[in-house]
């Protein structure tokens, strides 16, 4: 049995935030869960994938976030507890369903998790999804740490059921990917099947019904605000170091991970003023009476929150409406930025300038020598099949093509020497935007998309492109997994979330055929000549041409070999044959290549045996290590 | 800025070097002894050969991140990355460096130069409390498994005596954290690292 199913209330465990969230869902009796993988939420799905059957949870990796939202949402409409989870931009995809399900509501508790990514650690933007709660009207909770996340999952299911509304569970990277101690609670077994009770006026949102449901939602928001006033997650915290001084009385209003940094500051620095903290865990609807009472007591309020001035605007409006004589400072005055993550340094800097306070720490002078440090951006792994594909493509286009690309490991091809990225917006976006480009530019256009992204949102764009007779090459880079987020299955594979080894695999090439693509070639990108030939023909084709480069992710191949106690054949450079042309490092750039002056070597500890370098070297200097050498 | 109640360990390295295993081992040691712990990790895109940072905080705090001037020890799994983390090193910070360079692709294919490791160590020594250095790969090979250099570094960290755990307590945590067949090499690697820094 998975350790997250341990039925020992009170037992302590150390868990990743995302694992604590799963534990919370298990304790709450969640029956249905669905996702499309996306960092920083990915480990929630990976964990559920391993243990959902033992937990009695139906879990699936859906084709995209909208489908995942609908799978879990419909189950909650029927009356069981359900959970969908996604990264912040995934909620954009699901938002069509999300906005209207706020009108219909649900019968079983429904928790919708949005994992926001301030700092864009693994994302194309850092949008603040707290506004989705405000825009839709659904209640929202924001945990600060793994243990609170576990407790809040239980709470979110409870209030969702109480108000028959979905609850937005908003996390950020520094919560999902923090490991901390949690204390197990009791487990409520998931319910069995339920009888579907028809209620057309509620669940069928034709205009007449939608209008009455909107009025219902607006009334409900008032009741949910009453809940927020008494929520155990909205509370005043008095720091251990009281910092009593002659100065003003200061209140800090904060939520999410920013709360941790505020408390670290209050533990570490004597600010010379009396500080109280209002920690908000339920941040929609906000507890207006509680906030007003807090602000009444203080001379100065400082709002500390990541990203947008969401709390700040609400607190300022409230203080104005209720004529509370207090100064409220935050991002609008420039004390904090509307971008990137916070940390204790940033919080202290903002708070101390708002307080006109100078930290009198000991000043130490360090004159670090300015050693030039080579950058280390993430790169395609050694042995990655995408590298072969990009190398072959560049041989054919000679760099004269415009590339729209997509979200996945293959995005890393944007870096030199491959340089296969001129436009990148969102999942599935490469296919749609390629059509727009070809209508107005003269260069050939190549759209790159991965296998999982193709199923996510690439297919409707391909249908549209064929129907509208666009002309571009669609390069579907099929490494038989959702690699970037940690190797989750996708609809093209015979493995799935629930049917582990007997899911129905959908053929990418048959989809392309069915929608009327006139040129389809499937190649192995580890064979350079064959791949070049396919690209050459595809670029000549007058219409939408599809090249599917199919070779499994090198990390999976290596893992399989290791399981069987084997290692692949390593490659080496024959120093007698090397002409020092540097084509290998300048054009192929495998991380296993070592260049010392003009000489080239291959690090056998890094080489993953793809064998492409042997085809890349024009002088036959690269090849497998012979047994005599070993 | 100093939180007196906490030991903060900042691990820097390259994706795939096994920092997550080190934080799991310290997590299990903490649970066993009842020491509060909070760890901030990096998952996702950066793991593909990029820079990864892990912050481990042992003691009474709820914050996964510390003031940059409040890092007790920086553990560099890679020498270049140890130097890149210089913004977290103060004269009170101890530094432990694995001297095995992992050359980024920018060196082989974009003309960047890898800094001289001896110079890196010398500079780190100038501005920190103390620098320890060792070759993780050599010790790992000696332990019989090239993949345990992360636990060699954990051994070196433990040997400094700044952790709130005894040698045995961490070894017990290693036993419950790593796969059974790898326990022996991990314990051996841990001890070899420990011997480098222990007084």
């Amino acid at each position: 049995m998975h350790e997250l199913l341990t039925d020992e209330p009170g037992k302590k465990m150390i868990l990743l935030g995302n694992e604590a969230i799963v534990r919370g869902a298990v304790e709450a009796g969640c029956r249905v869960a669905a996702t499309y993988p996306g960092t920083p939420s990915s480990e929630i799905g990976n964990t559920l994938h391993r243990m959902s059957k033992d937990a009695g949870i139906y879990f699936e990796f859906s084709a995209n976030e909208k489908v995942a939202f609908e799978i879990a949402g419909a189950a909650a409409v029927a009356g069981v507890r359900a959970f969908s989870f996604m990264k912040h931009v995934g909620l954009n995809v699901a938002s069509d369903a999300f906005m209207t399900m706020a009108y219909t509501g649900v019968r079983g508790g429904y928790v919708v998790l949005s994992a926001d990514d301030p700092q864009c650690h693994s994302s194309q933007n850092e949008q603040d999804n707290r506004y989705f709660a405000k825009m839709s009207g659904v209640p929202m909770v924001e945990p600060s740490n793994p243990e609170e996340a576990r407790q809040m999952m239980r709470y979110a299911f409870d209030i969702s059921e109480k108000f028959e509304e979905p609850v937005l569970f908003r996390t950020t990277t520094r919560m999902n990917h923090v490991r901390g101690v949690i204390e197990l609670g009791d487990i409520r077994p998931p319910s069995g099947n339920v009888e579907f009770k028809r209620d057309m006026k509620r669940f069928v949102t034709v205009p007449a019904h939608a209008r009455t449901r909107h009025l219902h939602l607006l009334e409900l928001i008032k009741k949910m605000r009453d809940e927020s006033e008494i929520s155990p997650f909205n509370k005043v915290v008095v720091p251990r170091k009281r910092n009593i001084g002659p100065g003003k009385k200061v209140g800090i209003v904060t939520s999410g991970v920013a709360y941790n940094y505020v408390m670290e500051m209050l533990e570490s620095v004597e600010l010379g003023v009396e500080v109280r903290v209002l920690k908000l865990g339920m941040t929609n609807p906000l507890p207006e009476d509680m906030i007003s009472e807090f602000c009444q007591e203080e001379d100065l309020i400082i709002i500390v929150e990541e990203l947008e001035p969401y709390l700040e605007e609400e607190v300022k409006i409230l203080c104005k409406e209720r004529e509370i004589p207090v100064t409220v400072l935050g991002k609008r005055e420039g004390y904090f930025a509307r971008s990137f993550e916070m940390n204790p340094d940033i919080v202290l800097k903002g708070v101390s300038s708002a307080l006109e306070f100078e930290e009198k720490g000991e000043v130490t002078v360090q004159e670090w020598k300015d050693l030039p440090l080579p950058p280390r951006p993430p790169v395609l792994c050694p042995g990655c099949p995408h590298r072969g594909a990009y190398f072959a493509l560049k041989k054919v286009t000679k760099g004269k093509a415009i590339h729209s690309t997509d979200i996945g490991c293959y995005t890393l091809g944007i870096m030199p020497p491959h340089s296969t990225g001129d436009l990148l917006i969102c999942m599935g976006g490469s296919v749609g935007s390629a059509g727009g480009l070809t209508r107005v530019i003269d260069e050939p256009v190549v759209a790159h998309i991965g296998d999982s992204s193709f199923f996510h949102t690439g297919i409707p764009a391909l249908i549209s492109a064929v129907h509208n007779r666009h002309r571009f090459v669609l390069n579907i880079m099929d490494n038989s997994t959702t690699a970037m987020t940690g190797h989750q299955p996708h609809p093209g594979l015979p493995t799935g979330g629930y049917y582990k080894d007997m899911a129905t695999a959908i053929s990418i090439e048959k989809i392309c055929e069915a929608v009327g693509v006139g040129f389809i070639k499937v190649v192995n990108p580890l064979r350079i000549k064959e791949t070049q030939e396919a690209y050459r023909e595809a670029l000549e084709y007058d219409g939408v041409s599809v090249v599917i480069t199919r070779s499994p992710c090198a990390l999976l191949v290596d893992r399989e070999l290791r399981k069987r106690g084997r290692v692949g054949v390593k490659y080496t450079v024959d120093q007698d044959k090397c002409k020092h042309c540097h084509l290998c490092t300048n054009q192929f750039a495998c991380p296993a290549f070592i260049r010392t002056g003009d000489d080239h070597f291959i690090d056998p500890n890094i080489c993953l045996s793809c064998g492409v370098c042997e085809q890349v070297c024009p002088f036959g200097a690269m090849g497998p290590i012979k047994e005599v050498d070993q | 800025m100093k939180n007196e109640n906490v030991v903060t360990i900042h691990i820097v390295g390259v994706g795939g070097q096994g920092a997550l295993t080190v934080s799991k081992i310290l997590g299990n040691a903490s649970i066993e002894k009842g020491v509060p712990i909070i760890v901030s990790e990096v998952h996702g895109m950066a793991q593909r050969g990029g820079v990864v940072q892990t912050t481990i905080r042992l003691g009474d705090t709820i914050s996964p991140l510390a003031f940059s001037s409040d890092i007790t020890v920086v553990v560099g799994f890679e020498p270049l990355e140890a130097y890149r983390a210089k913004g977290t090193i103060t004269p009170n910070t101890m530094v432990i460096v694995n001297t095995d360079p992992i050359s980024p692709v920018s060196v082989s294919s974009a003309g960047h130069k890898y800094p001289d490791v001896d110079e890196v160590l010398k500079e780190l020594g100038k501005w920190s409390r103390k620098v320890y250095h060792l070759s993780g790969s050599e010790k790992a090979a000696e332990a019989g498994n090239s993949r345990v250099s992360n636990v060699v570094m954990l051994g070196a960290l433990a040997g400094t005596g700044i952790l709130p755990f005894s040698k045995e307590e961490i070894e017990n945590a290693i036993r419950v954290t790593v796969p059974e067949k790898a326990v022996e090499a991990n314990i051996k690697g841990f001890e070899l690292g420990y011997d480098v820094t222990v007084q």
Side-chain angles (χ1 to χ4, degrees):
Chain A
M1 198 181 59
H2 196 280
E3 64 160 7
L4 283 187
L5 298 176
T6 308
D7 194 9
E8 284 177 53
K11 184 184 160 89
K12 288 189 174 169
M13 263 187 194
I14 175 145
L15 295 181
L16 193 65
N18 280 340
E19 295 170 330
I21 286 164
V22 172
R23 173 68 193 192
V26 167
E27 290 181 7
C30 174
R31 166 74 193 284
V32 170
T35 191
Y36 180 84
T39 310
S41 75
S42 309
E43 297 81 9
I44 303 173
N46 296 352
T47 307
L48 273 168
H49 189 204
R50 284 193 281 273
M51 45 78 93
S52 62
K53 270 194 188 164
D54 291 340
I57 297 174
Y58 171 80
F59 166 68
E60 72 170 45
F61 289 106
S62 306
N64 64 36
E65 294 86 352
K66 180 169 177 287
V67 177
F69 179 90
E70 290 156 351
I71 292 281
V77 164
V80 303
R81 290 191 160 190
F83 178 37
S84 66
F85 48 99
M86 55 207 76
K87 69 181 294 170
H88 60 329
V89 288
L91 190 54
N92 298 340
V93 179
S95 62
D96 198 356
F98 176 79
M99 291 301 298
T100 302
M101 202 166 265
Y103 281 18
T104 65
V106 288
R107 289 170 173 139
Y110 185 22
V111 177
V112 183
L113 182 143
S114 165
D116 292 14
D117 190 18
Q119 197 82 27
C120 304
H121 286 286
S122 326
S123 306
Q124 62 269 41
N125 77 26
E126 54 173 359
Q127 68 186 48
D128 188 334
N129 275 6
R130 292 180 297 176
Y131 287 100
F132 264 117
K134 202 175 161 185
M135 182 161 62
S136 65
V138 307
M140 169 169 61
V141 291
E142 289 183 76
S144 301
N145 59 58
E147 169 61 5
E148 196 176 54
R150 182 195 66 81
Q151 295 172 14
M152 266 191 189
M153 281 298 286
R154 299 173 59 123
Y155 177 70
F157 275 106
D158 286 344
I159 60 170
S160 172
E161 225 154 71
K162 181 174 173 186
F163 297 106
E164 299 204 354
E165 269 291 291
V167 171
L168 185 62
F169 194 98
R170 191 255 188 177
T171 65
T172 54
T173 308
R174 214 56 86 166
M175 211 305 296
N176 303 89
H177 291 163
V178 158
R179 201 175 288 277
V181 178
I182 68 138
E183 191 175 323
L184 301 183
D186 57 323
I187 295 176
R188 166 183 154 158
S191 56
N193 273 11
V194 291
E195 187 193 341
F196 187 86
K197 296 196 189 75
R198 302 174 72 185
D199 185 352
M200 203 175 71
K201 286 188 174 163
R202 178 173 176 192
F203 293 112
V204 180
T205 52
V206 293
H209 300 165
R211 283 191 286 266
T212 59
R213 290 308 297 180
H214 191 194
L215 295 177
H216 169 83
L217 173 61
L218 294 173
E219 280 305 306
L220 197 58
I221 289 172
K222 293 179 193 161
K223 291 184 190 141
M224 296 189 297
R225 196 177 305 283
D226 293 341
E227 172 68 33
S228 193
E229 300 286 357
I230 57 164
S231 169
F233 295 103
N234 291 334
K235 60 190 175 195
V236 176
V237 180
V238 179
R240 283 188 295 199
K241 286 188 186 171
R242 286 302 304 274
N243 271 318
I244 296 172
K248 301 174 203 168
K249 289 170 77 184
V250 177
I252 294 178
V253 180
T254 184
S255 71
V257 299
Y259 167 70
N260 301 324
Y261 310 143
V262 168
M263 296 312 285
E264 181 73 7
M265 172 184 71
L266 296 174
E267 283 288 321
S268 311
V269 186
E270 294 283 350
L271 289 170
V273 288
E274 189 178 343
V275 179
R276 293 192 311 154
V277 178
L278 179 60
K279 188 214 187 281
L280 297 174
M282 183 169 175
T283 45
N284 194 58
L286 282 168
E288 293 185 345
D289 292 344
M290 182 188 262
I291 293 171
S292 304
E293 279 163 33
F294 182 79
C295 293
Q296 288 279 11
E297 304 260 320
E298 311 295 346
D299 303 315
L300 174 67
I301 296 290
I302 303 171
I303 315 280
V304 183
E305 61 189 320
E306 279 186 334
L307 298 179
E308 300 296 329
Y310 170 89
L311 297 174
E312 181 182 337
E313 284 166 357
E314 296 291 325
V315 171
K316 280 179 174 164
I317 291 169
L318 194 63
C319 288
K320 176 79 181 160
E321 271 178 3
R322 300 196 180 185
E323 295 175 354
I324 300 167
V326 66
T327 307
V328 182
L329 300 177
K331 294 176 197 263
R332 293 181 67 92
E333 294 76 20
Y335 290 106
F336 298 99
R338 284 173 62 175
S339 51
F340 313 153
E341 272 191 309
M342 286 186 159
N343 58 38
D345 294 297
I346 289 171
V347 170
L348 175 62
K349 189 162 176 279
V351 169
S352 50
S353 61
L355 291 175
E356 296 170 16
F357 159 85
E358 251 177 80
E359 161 67 15
K360 295 183 207 71
E362 44 183 304
V363 181
T364 52
V365 181
Q366 286 174 296
E367 290 167 8
W368 289 97
K369 188 166 179 180
D370 191 18
L371 295 177
L373 302 179
R376 195 190 296 275
V379 290
L380 295 171
C381 300
C384 176
H386 300 331
R387 182 177 286 104
Y390 285 143
F391 176 82
L393 178 62
K394 199 165 184 181
K395 282 273 162 205
V396 177
T397 62
K398 305 199 165 38
K400 288 191 185 107
I402 300 300
H403 303 267
S404 60
T405 189
D406 222 283
I407 311 281
C409 282
Y410 51 94
T411 314
L412 297 170
I414 65 170
M415 302 296 287
H418 313 299
S419 310
T420 50
D422 296 300
L423 180 59
L424 167 64
I425 304 294
C426 64
M427 291 285 290
S430 66
V431 192
S433 46
L437 291 173
T438 55
R439 291 291 163 185
V440 295
I441 64 174
D442 297 325
E443 291 95 329
V445 174
V446 184
H448 306 278
I449 194 165
D451 39 352
S452 192
S453 307
F454 178 74
F455 288 109
H456 179 279
T457 32
I459 296 169
L462 177 61
I463 291 171
S464 186
V466 173
H467 173 68
N468 290 301
R469 305 183 71 99
H470 294 310
R471 187 190 199 278
F472 61 86
V473 178
L474 176 57
N475 183 29
I476 304 178
M477 310 189 81
D478 179 359
N479 60 357
S480 305
T481 186
T482 314
M484 181 63 98
T485 47
H487 300 110
Q488 293 83 1
H490 64 61
L493 303 169
T495 52
Y498 188 75
Y499 294 106
K500 297 272 188 295
D501 297 309
M502 46 177 285
T504 303
I506 316 293
S507 158
I508 294 175
E509 49 270 45
K510 281 191 182 159
I511 289 175
C512 295
E513 267 171 47
V515 307
V517 177
F519 178 102
I520 303 165
K521 269 267 159 77
V522 184
V523 292
N524 180 348
L526 302 183
R527 296 188 196 134
I528 296 298
K529 281 223 171 90
E530 146 186 349
T531 307
Q532 270 178 244
E533 196 45 42
Y535 285 135
R536 187 171 292 117
E537 288 174 35
L539 280 158
E540 283 164 10
Y541 183 77
D542 186 15
V544 177
S545 55
V546 168
V547 176
I548 302 169
T549 61
R550 181 170 291 149
S551 180
C553 170
L555 298 181
L556 289 184
V557 174
D558 185 55
R559 196 184 293 170
E560 273 306 305
L561 280 174
R562 279 178 196 280
K563 261 192 215 158
R564 286 183 245 145
R566 292 171 50 204
V567 280
V569 181
K570 305 293 180 182
Y571 281 69
T572 188
V573 181
D574 182 337
Q575 297 301 330
D576 295 335
K577 291 186 184 166
C578 177
K579 303 272 189 245
H580 314 283
C581 71
H582 314 310
L583 184 146
C584 55
T585 45
N586 289 349
Q587 295 184 31
F588 191 62
C590 174
F593 293 169
I594 301 168
R595 179 173 168 178
T596 310
D598 275 340
D599 296 332
H600 293 275
F601 307 93
I602 295 173
D603 185 341
N605 296 316
I606 297 180
C607 172
L608 280 186
S609 320
C610 71
V612 178
C613 57
E614 190 176 13
Q615 305 160 58
V616 164
C617 177
F619 304 104
M622 289 174 155
I625 297 178
K626 304 274 181 332
E627 281 200 14
V628 283
D629 303 333
Q630 285 178 330
Chain B
M1 267 67 68
K2 191 149 180 60
N3 191 333
E4 305 286 348
N5 315 318
V6 185
V7 172
T8 302
I9 303 145
H10 190 55
I11 302 177
V12 291
V14 181
Q17 281 193 298
L20 298 190
T21 304
V22 169
S23 64
K24 280 183 190 165
I25 292 168
L26 288 176
N28 284 326
S30 299
I31 286 278
E32 191 58 35
K33 202 174 184 181
V35 175
I37 182 170
I38 189 147
V39 184
S40 176
E41 300 176 350
V42 172
H43 296 243
M45 193 170 197
Q47 284 180 295
R48 301 277 177 264
V51 181
V52 297
Q53 305 180 344
T54 305
T55 305
I56 302 170
R57 310 199 72 205
L58 295 159
D60 192 5
T61 182
I62 59 166
S63 179
L65 298 180
F67 283 103
S68 57
S69 58
D70 192 16
I71 308 293
T72 320
V73 52
V74 168
V75 184
F77 276 22
E78 203 277 347
L80 160 62
E81 297 313 324
Y83 201 73
R84 217 194 293 276
K86 60 187 185 296
T88 60
I89 296 169
T90 72
N92 296 319
T93 310
M94 205 185 287
V95 182
I96 307 171
V97 185
N98 180 355
T99 52
D100 305 330
I102 299 176
S103 189
V105 178
S106 64
V107 170
S108 63
S109 69
H112 288 276
K113 291 263 178 309
Y114 194 96
D116 179 63
V117 174
D118 289 334
E119 191 175 13
V120 164
L121 295 175
K122 199 180 96 194
E123 286 300 314
L124 288 170
K126 265 191 216 166
W127 306 112
S128 65
R129 182 172 137 202
K130 185 166 176 59
V131 174
Y132 297 96
H133 59 91
L134 63 158
S135 163
S137 62
E138 267 174 34
K139 301 286 177 195
E142 205 179 325
N145 184 339
S146 62
R147 291 161 81 88
V148 302
S149 50
N150 57 341
V151 177
V152 171
M153 295 308 291
L154 173 63
L157 172 63
T160 63
I162 62 135
L163 296 180
F165 308 113
S166 70
K167 191 178 172 194
E168 291 69 31
E169 284 164 346
I170 299 176
E171 288 183 347
N172 288 337
I174 291 172
R175 287 191 187 93
V176 299
T177 312
V178 306
E180 209 177 314
K181 61 178 181 183
V183 166
E184 200 184 327
N186 275 285
I187 297 283
K188 180 80 181 143
F190 175 79
E191 286 181 343
L192 290 168
Y194 190 93
D195 292 342
V196 173
T197 55
V198 73
Q199 300 288 315

